[in-house]
Amino acid sequence: MLTRSALIYLSRKEGLKEFAARFSLFKKLTTRFIAGETIEEAVAAIREINARGCSASFDHLNESVGTAAETEAEVQEYQNVLAQIDQTSINSNVSIKLTQFGLEIDPELAYQNARRVVLDAVQRGNFVRIDMEGSNVTQATIDIFKRLRSEFGLNDVGIVLQSYLYRTEEDARELLKIPARIRLCKGAYDEAPAVAYPDKKDVDDNYVRVMQLLLASGTYHGIATHDPKMIEATIEFAQREGIKKTAFEFQMLYGIRRDLQEQLARDGYGMRVYVPYGKHWYPYFMRRLAERPANIWFVMKNFLKG
Ligand SMILES: Cc1cc2nc3c(=O)[nH]c(=O)nc-3n(C[C@H](O)[C@H](O)[C@H](O)COP(=O)(O)OP(=O)(O)OC[C@H]3O[C@@H](n4cnc5c(N)ncnc54)[C@H](O)[C@@H]3O)c2cc1C
């Protein structure tokens, strides 16, 4: 049985994608989690999401980009996305990864690239969320976010925190002082017990603790999870504290718990769907498999049938 760590390890082996993509069936399976390879396909997916009463966030799939020229292409892609959002009037913001903008080449390059996208978004009245990646870049990501936040407004740029990291509660307290808009998630990378809670129960308990800090802060945050227990805890806390449904939003990933997405939207909660698209779908897809053993069986069964 493939473990979560093994799948996350395989997710970093981009060469395997070439092998996997040869099977048309494998590619078909990716469509459950990925909106397509082009902006047009992502726009079509977002139109449907909007029609279901949910907003969206574009994610152009690419991470750990290795050259400055590639990072330039990423900036241009996001500028195109922001222009498309305007032209098509879809309800969406954008999510970026700093390693996509060169964080592992030169943090200054990543900052300059991210700044260009945030500036473009600000001119269009849109919002940029900086995704959080592995713990090796947590501090660098927060540093660049803080730098951007000192130049731009609360509603221009936001960040993500992961409840599996020990440091997250402290980070949340610090970031709330600025203040900052935070998306809270559990965390999708393979982290050592030296930096992250190994037990799911501790990750969940920390999620609830940090969620309460965020909601009580009065700033508009994103509660990103498919876990009914986390959602219930959020709704209960908000009701108990008299926090309005419109004071925060839930967020989920494209293709996961569509039923729950629609239910929450019908119940009057803000619901944003994260929509990944692009040619570099492999690491993202493998992380989604790692999250849920049932997904692996789903893939294996279909392989065997094919
Ligand atoms: C909008 C959004 C943005 C995110 N951004 C980041 C980020 O910037 N950085 C980061 O590290 N992580 C990010 N994540 C991923 C997150 O960290 C988790 O890995 C992921 O959401 C699974 O955790 P969970 O809260 O759904 O709870 P879990 O305890 O993992 O799952 C709870 C239940 O949700 C359902 N579920 C969860 N995952 C899947 C799946 N893949 N397929 C099918 N069902 C599933 C199952 O029913 C499962 O029992 C993001 C998640 C969301 C929703």
Side-chain angles (χ1 to χ4, degrees):
M1 175 65 187
L2 285 171
T3 61
R4 179 173 180 271
S5 300
L7 281 160
I8 293 178
Y9 171 78
L10 291 175
S11 79
R12 293 195 292 268
K13 304 280 154 206
E14 180 77 11
L16 280 178
K17 177 203 165 183
E18 304 307 325
F19 172 73
R22 272 193 236 143
F23 299 92
S24 57
L25 189 62
F26 190 88
K27 225 171 155 192
K28 216 170 115 202
L29 292 170
T30 64
T31 59
R32 177 172 166 200
F33 299 115
I34 291 131
E37 293 204 347
T38 63
I39 294 188
E40 290 71 26
E41 287 169 294
V43 167
I46 290 175
R47 279 194 205 283
E48 278 182 34
I49 288 163
N50 288 169
R52 294 193 278 119
C54 307
S55 57
S57 191
F58 267 92
D59 165 37
H60 183 241
L61 292 166
N62 212 352
E63 49 199 270
S64 297
V65 163
T67 67
E70 276 180 84
T71 72
E72 181 58 33
E74 290 301 317
V75 172
Q76 284 173 18
E77 181 75 18
Y78 271 99
Q79 288 172 337
N80 283 341
V81 165
L82 287 163
Q84 281 286 311
I85 295 173
D86 268 3
Q87 281 160 26
T88 57
S89 301
I90 52 175
N91 181 354
S92 186
N93 61 31
V94 298
S95 293
I96 62 172
K97 284 187 172 51
L98 291 181
T99 65
Q100 174 176 39
F101 285 167
L103 187 59
E104 289 164 327
I105 306 170
D106 172 11
E108 186 59 26
L109 173 70
Y111 159 73
Q112 291 297 343
N113 282 335
R115 188 180 185 283
R116 286 163 63 198
V117 174
V118 176
L119 191 60
D120 197 342
V122 168
Q123 283 161 356
R124 295 176 185 279
N126 211 318
F127 174 81
V128 177
R129 175 79 63 185
I130 301 177
D131 285 351
M132 189 55 84
E133 304 177 68
S135 61
N136 57 320
V137 293
T138 305
Q139 192 56 51
T141 304
I142 291 177
D143 291 346
I144 291 180
F145 167 74
K146 281 185 173 164
R147 216 170 144 192
L148 290 167
R149 183 63 188 85
S150 70
E151 291 173 79
F152 299 100
L154 176 66
N155 293 320
D156 298 333
V157 60
I159 192 165
V160 177
L161 292 179
Q162 301 151 318
S163 73
Y164 64 15
L165 294 185
Y166 303 133
R167 59 176 289 167
T168 286
E169 184 176 342
E170 197 46 44
D171 285 336
R173 289 185 191 281
E174 282 304 307
L175 288 164
L176 287 173
K177 284 185 201 153
I178 298 176
R181 275 176 62 175
I182 296 168
R183 171 202 295 152
L184 178 65
C185 66
K186 290 190 188 178
Y189 298 81
D190 194 24
E191 299 292 358
V195 294
Y197 295 105
D199 294 335
K200 180 172 163 49
K201 185 179 179 313
D202 294 325
V203 176
D204 289 357
D205 288 350
N206 199 36
Y207 194 100
V208 172
R209 245 187 334 265
V210 178
M211 171 276 288
Q212 293 184 349
L213 276 179
L214 299 192
L215 258 57
S217 73
T219 297
Y220 188 88
H221 299 292
I223 304 301
T225 181
H226 315 94
D227 187 341
K229 284 202 211 101
M230 301 300 108
I231 292 168
E232 224 170 89
T234 306
I235 291 173
E236 258 176 36
F237 181 75
Q239 283 173 351
R240 198 167 66 232
E241 298 297 313
I243 295 163
K244 287 198 187 119
K245 288 180 178 177
T246 51
F248 63 95
E249 67 184 23
F250 286 110
Q251 300 184 350
M252 292 191 202
L253 302 177
Y254 180 77
I256 301 180
R257 295 301 313 262
R258 220 177 117 143
D259 55 332
L260 196 50
Q261 294 174 11
E262 288 179 10
Q263 184 61 52
L264 288 166
R266 269 199 305 275
D267 291 349
Y269 291 99
M271 178 73 238
R272 187 176 300 276
V273 180
Y274 182 96
V275 180
Y277 79 98
K279 290 191 177 13
H280 301 282
W281 46 262
Y282 177 76
Y284 177 89
F285 177 70
M286 293 299 279
R287 286 199 297 273
R288 300 294 79 79
L289 290 191
E291 270 154 18
R292 197 167 174 246
N295 289 338
I296 306 164
W297 291 117
F298 179 70
V299 170
M300 301 261 250
K301 250 182 0 216
N302 281 283
F303 258 132
L304 295 175
K305 265 197 246 154

